[in-house]
Amino acid sequence: MTDNKLINLINISKAYGETVVLDDLNLYIRENEFLTLLGPSGCGKTTTLRIIGGFETPDQGKVIFEGKDISKLAPNERQLNTVFQKYALFNHMTIAENIAFGLKIKKKSKNYINDKIKYALKLVNLEGFENRMPDSLSGGQQQRIAIARAIVNEPKVLLLDEPLGALDLKLRQDMQYELIRLKNELGITFIYVTHDQEEALTMSDTIVVMNQGYIQQVGTPEDIYNEPKNAFVADFIGDSNIIASTMVEDKVVNILGTNFPCVDTGFGKNKPVDIVIRPEDIDLVKPEEGIITGRVTSLIFKGVHYEMEVMANGHAWLVHSTDLFPVGDEVGIKVDPFDIQIMHKPTSEDEEAVELEE
Amino acid sequence: MNVPLNVKNRLQQKRKKDHDRTLKIGKSNNIKLLSFPYIIWMAGFIIIPLFMILYYGLTNKNKHITLENITLISNPINQKALLLALELALISTVICLLLAYPLALILRKSHKRNNSFIVLIMILPMWMNFLLRTIAWQNILEKTGVLNNILSLLNLPTLNIINTPTAIVLGMVYNFLPFMVLPIYNVLVKIDKDVINAARDLGANGWQTFAKIILPLSIPGVISGITMVFVPALTTFVISTILGGSKIVLIGNVIEQQFRLGNWHTGSGLSLVLMVFILLSMAILSKYDKESEGSHIW
Ligand SMILES: Nc1ncnc2c1ncn2[C@@H]1O[C@H](COP(=O)(O)OP(=O)(O)OP(=O)(O)O)[C@@H](O)[C@H]1O
Ligand SMILES: [Mg+2]
């Protein structure tokens, strides 16, 4: 990844009739980056991707590609290729003809095309499928053909719209690795859309968390997971304890009536904030060793760990731990200062709109 | 690329699909039960009449088996009627196709909301009696009809269309156009928007997308439409009687006349010849597309 801004979206707005889908969106994608647009259904991920691909025109704003404004170019004039959510293979053509489609349009030689077909099928592990018809392939195979069809054109950027959405868990995980391998082998930029936070965390260099057409946070998977900027991001990325609290002073936060030491500064004195504590960051200890005490109210075995709910200070704390504490036990809750993530409360109306209903 | 292998593959897949389909239907007893009235209907109104035509066509008044009813087609009058019918049906089908395809494309592109309205307008005339519609055209095209009245009001030369092949073609196109538009429109709306987007994405311009994606994917609808226009156009005797006058005789008219005169044997024999032509044309069509919707209908 370099710092070169390959694609730059500037002040993009898009509305369908009354519904505003994107409002003044700004985002840049660097060369060779694996960037993921992550957000709940209907938040505008596909619309963003379509604007980059040229299938939708923004009402306002510009799409800059390598320094040039491509907002008004048709899809066939843009140096990027798309893998569509529902594959969109050409069912009246064989697999080989599907893959060759873009190359034939560009009038490449027969030899070149045949080599490319072989190469692409090998890349997606479907050698020998040349003469099959798309509807004789499984969903996962069709998906890989859709990817092969896009990459033979050697695009600078590959747009992928929930490409693994229709696959079962096992196949999805396999394909995640294959996609990462592909990207490394090809050395191109991926813009990836998903609403699956795990997928986003596994695959991306950069995650863009969106909600209702607004970008909530842009950052590396670690940033997004460990330092969510607001309650929405914290809640969307994995299980967490999100609690409205008060910042008493620098490095002290009052959670549910008890002061906890933390590491954040600069929020001011007695300011309302949201805090997030990941369930695996809560230590359950003997009652006398905890900062607060509570009682275990539920216990579920999750395979890797136990998931427990602890009622303490009137809040049900979600805890992941490899140690087992039976239901009804009195336990102490301890949190390391750096595991408490402090977030600003939403202030403006825009932000309010994206706050969680809990 | 190995073309013959490729075609073979497709055929095999198609055959397998058909096989699966029959298996599925065979297994379900409920479906059998439900289709019972339909089977009686088929037997009573399709199969038995077909055999009767076959019987009459291949026998004479003394119930002796003969081919003389069939060979009557070589009679110059009958031959001329058959050739003219084929010609006019072909012309009408081509005109219908040329009118219907762009219309179906426009319908596909236009907003879904307006669509039902346009389709309604297309279908509305079909709610009127077929005879009435054709007689209305007679009134319009007559020497002193509506069209010529308007033309003479505008001081333009009047047209002599009635009782010409042109009038018959006009009547056929008018009556059968919806049967071309609807099947084509049906396949066009089923094409996923993203399939077209994908073609554009891969570098195809509008024309290439049409030629390589939209047109091939719409062939089943086109074939269905062609069958649904060509067959009734080839066999019609009503349109030619009303708009063609007594001088233009199509094969349909000949057959109708024979039945009217009580010559069931001759009428049936000529019908059999016509049937062969229809089957032949459908065989040619289905060669172009194995999965044509037409072959499901007929
Ligand atoms: N062609 C359209 N006409 C009207 N509204 C649309 C259209 N396309 C999208 N929308 C609306 O825009 C909003 C965002 O849609 P978009 O497809 O970008 O969501 P998404 O984030 O991709 O969601 P999902 O995860 O469900 O695919 C939705 O509220 C949707 O209803
Ligand atoms: Mg989407």
Side-chain angles (χ1 to χ4, degrees):
Chain A
M1 204 175 13
T2 64
D3 278 341
N4 209 344
K5 289 181 189 175
L6 188 62
I7 297 179
N8 207 347
L9 303 180
I10 300 171
N11 304 114
I12 299 281
S13 296
K14 176 79 187 173
Y16 292 109
E18 295 282 282
T19 28
V20 179
V21 180
L22 300 175
D23 187 9
D24 202 23
L25 179 126
N26 287 284
L27 178 68
Y28 64 85
I29 296 113
R30 283 168 294 192
E31 211 170 319
N32 239 334
E33 186 171 14
F34 194 128
L35 180 131
T36 300
L37 300 176
L38 175 67
S41 191
C43 72
K45 307 181 295 287
T46 298
T47 307
T48 309
L49 209 65
R50 281 176 181 272
I51 286 173
I52 300 173
F55 309 113
E56 297 280 359
T57 37
D59 301 334
Q60 265 161 43
K62 280 188 276 191
V63 182
I64 309 288
F65 183 80
E66 292 188 313
K68 282 186 289 271
D69 185 354
I70 60 163
S71 313
K72 299 210 163 53
L73 291 188
N76 51 325
E77 291 162 331
R78 302 188 181 198
Q79 284 187 21
L80 24 90
N81 284 115
T82 308
V83 177
F84 291 87
Q85 191 161 0
K86 278 174 267 150
Y87 322 145
L89 295 181
F90 307 132
N91 280 327
H92 59 299
M93 299 180 185
T94 62
I95 296 306
E97 288 166 339
N98 265 279
I99 297 175
F101 188 87
L103 301 173
K104 278 189 190 154
I105 297 263
K106 288 182 199 94
K107 303 229 154 57
K108 301 286 189 193
S109 77
K110 253 207 154 70
N111 282 338
Y112 179 86
I113 293 178
N114 284 336
D115 287 349
K116 272 286 183 188
I117 292 172
K118 279 227 174 63
Y119 161 78
L121 283 176
K122 192 171 167 177
L123 211 57
V124 297
N125 275 333
L126 289 174
E127 285 152 295
F129 274 63
E130 279 90 343
N131 291 321
R132 297 272 294 269
M133 297 303 283
D135 59 6
S136 75
L137 267 54
S138 75
Q141 291 168 335
Q142 290 191 33
Q143 188 57 66
R144 281 181 276 168
I145 296 302
I147 293 167
R149 183 179 67 177
I151 57 178
V152 289
N153 302 288
E154 300 178 353
K156 288 217 167 116
V157 183
L158 195 61
L159 310 178
L160 302 106
D161 192 354
E162 305 204 23
L164 311 182
L167 309 183
D168 65 53
L169 185 65
K170 179 77 178 63
L171 192 55
R172 196 154 71 220
Q173 285 168 347
D174 290 349
M175 285 295 295
Q176 286 174 5
Y177 289 111
E178 286 206 35
L179 277 177
I180 295 170
R181 175 180 63 83
L182 258 178
K183 186 193 167 294
N184 293 338
E185 247 167 77
L186 297 168
I188 59 177
T189 309
F190 272 35
I191 304 179
Y192 193 93
V193 164
T194 182
H195 60 252
D196 180 338
Q197 45 99 7
E198 250 180 66
E199 196 167 291
L201 291 173
T202 311
M203 302 175 77
S204 325
D205 297 323
T206 306
I207 296 178
V208 179
V209 184
M210 294 175 70
N211 190 27
Q212 299 188 6
Y214 295 100
I215 292 179
Q216 302 294 310
Q217 186 170 359
V218 181
T220 64
E222 290 85 356
D223 284 348
I224 301 271
Y225 189 84
N226 293 329
E227 286 156 40
K229 265 201 185 133
N230 58 37
F232 175 82
V233 177
D235 188 66
F236 197 74
I237 308 286
D239 299 324
S240 49
N241 297 286
I242 303 167
I243 304 166
S245 309
T246 310
M247 199 69 189
V248 180
E249 54 181 54
D250 280 356
K251 301 193 179 181
V252 180
V253 61
N254 185 293
I255 304 171
L256 302 166
T258 307
N259 281 349
F260 280 70
C262 65
V263 294
D264 293 75
T265 57
F267 281 83
K269 286 202 169 175
N270 291 317
K271 282 278 150 55
V273 291
D274 283 322
I275 65 111
V276 57
I277 304 172
R278 295 289 175 193
E280 63 272 21
D281 290 336
I282 295 178
D283 296 322
L284 293 186
V285 291
K286 288 185 199 132
E288 60 274 17
E289 288 171 14
I291 304 175
I292 55 173
T293 58
R295 205 169 279 282
V296 180
T297 54
S298 87
L299 169 72
I300 303 167
F301 178 58
K302 285 270 181 171
V304 193
H305 56 74
Y306 295 98
E307 183 175 295
M308 283 163 282
E309 222 171 59
V310 178
M311 206 63 194
N313 286 14
H315 181 84
W317 298 70
L318 188 69
V319 183
H320 290 172
S321 167
T322 48
D323 300 327
L324 184 154
F325 292 83
V327 173
D329 261 25
E330 173 121 358
V331 292
I333 287 180
K334 220 176 90 180
V335 186
D336 286 329
F338 49 80
D339 283 333
I340 300 176
Q341 167 70 11
I342 315 273
M343 305 174 296
H344 284 284
K345 278 259 187 218
T347 46
S348 72
E349 267 191 30
D350 284 353
E351 286 178 57
E352 204 74 73
V354 303
E355 212 200 342
L356 271 196
E357 307 117 37
E358 284 194 81
Chain B
M1 200 181 315
N2 189 336
V3 176
L5 188 72
N6 177 359
V7 170
K8 211 167 106 195
N9 261 336
R10 281 191 216 195
L11 280 178
Q12 271 168 1
Q13 276 158 27
K14 154 80 173 144
R15 226 171 278 146
K16 185 172 176 313
K17 223 189 274 164
D18 285 355
H19 183 65
D20 290 348
R21 207 177 291 149
T22 33
L23 271 185
K24 241 176 251 164
I25 293 172
K27 267 182 207 153
S28 158
N29 277 328
N30 283 349
I31 289 182
K32 260 189 199 160
L33 219 67
L34 277 176
S35 65
F36 196 64
Y38 182 66
I39 289 171
I40 292 191
W41 166 272
M42 290 244 295
F45 294 96
I46 300 176
I47 310 280
I48 293 176
L50 258 176
F51 273 102
M52 282 171 71
I53 288 181
L54 204 64
Y55 167 74
Y56 278 109
L58 295 173
T59 56
N60 61 17
K61 288 204 173 86
N62 307 323
K63 302 193 173 161
H64 287 140
I65 291 185
T66 170
L67 282 180
E68 65 191 27
N69 300 317
I70 308 263
T71 48
L72 261 181
I73 194 67
S74 56
N75 169 324
I77 295 178
N78 295 345
Q79 222 173 52
K80 208 180 128 205
L82 177 63
L83 286 180
L84 186 61
L86 280 170
E87 186 191 330
L88 296 190
L90 202 67
I91 293 174
S92 307
T93 308
V94 170
I95 293 177
C96 278
L97 185 59
L98 292 180
L99 290 177
Y101 206 104
L103 183 60
L105 275 180
I106 293 167
L107 279 177
R108 180 189 191 279
K109 276 218 171 138
S110 74
H111 242 281
K112 285 261 150 48
R113 243 174 298 141
N114 310 335
N115 271 1
S116 45
F117 177 68
I118 300 176
V119 172
L120 185 75
I121 288 192
M122 289 284 319
I123 296 178
L124 210 57
M126 291 163 73
W127 293 354
M128 258 188 317
N129 184 286
F130 172 73
L131 274 176
L132 276 182
R133 273 180 282 154
T134 312
I135 291 173
W137 271 108
Q138 191 184 28
N139 287 328
I140 293 172
L141 300 177
E142 263 170 352
K143 281 217 171 65
T144 54
V146 179
L147 180 66
N148 280 343
N149 278 343
I150 293 174
L151 286 176
S152 55
L153 265 180
L154 300 171
N155 278 334
L156 292 167
T158 58
L159 292 170
N160 193 9
I161 296 180
I162 194 74
N163 300 345
T164 64
T166 314
I168 298 178
V169 168
L170 204 110
M172 287 178 177
V173 170
Y174 177 78
N175 276 309
F176 302 137
L177 185 61
F179 297 106
M180 187 67 92
V181 176
L182 293 179
I184 297 178
Y185 171 70
N186 270 336
V187 289
L188 286 182
V189 287
K190 277 193 212 126
I191 300 177
D192 186 354
K193 186 115 213 313
D194 272 345
V195 169
I196 291 166
N197 280 341
R200 302 280 285 159
D201 184 73
L202 293 166
N205 59 31
W207 168 248
Q208 287 165 323
T209 306
F210 174 76
K212 295 190 174 203
I213 306 294
I214 298 176
L215 189 61
L217 284 176
S218 69
I219 289 297
V222 170
I223 288 190
S224 176
I226 289 178
T227 339
M228 287 171 81
V229 171
F230 183 73
V231 173
L234 183 62
T235 52
T236 185
F237 57 87
V238 176
I239 295 176
S240 47
T241 307
I242 297 175
L243 297 176
S246 53
K247 285 209 188 97
I248 303 177
V249 180
L250 301 185
I251 190 71
N253 300 85
V254 174
I255 294 171
E256 186 234 8
Q257 227 165 31
Q258 294 299 330
F259 275 104
R260 204 181 279 208
L261 294 172
N263 295 338
W264 284 42
H265 297 277
T266 317
S268 299
L270 293 177
S271 296
L272 284 178
V273 176
L274 198 53
M275 231 182 278
V276 168
F277 272 90
I278 290 169
L279 289 177
L280 211 68
S281 61
M282 272 163 36
I284 295 170
L285 277 180
S286 67
K287 230 188 161 146
Y288 279 97
D289 191 288
K290 284 280 156 200
E291 305 212 323
S292 85
E293 296 195 346
S295 64
H296 294 315
I297 290 171
W298 298 99

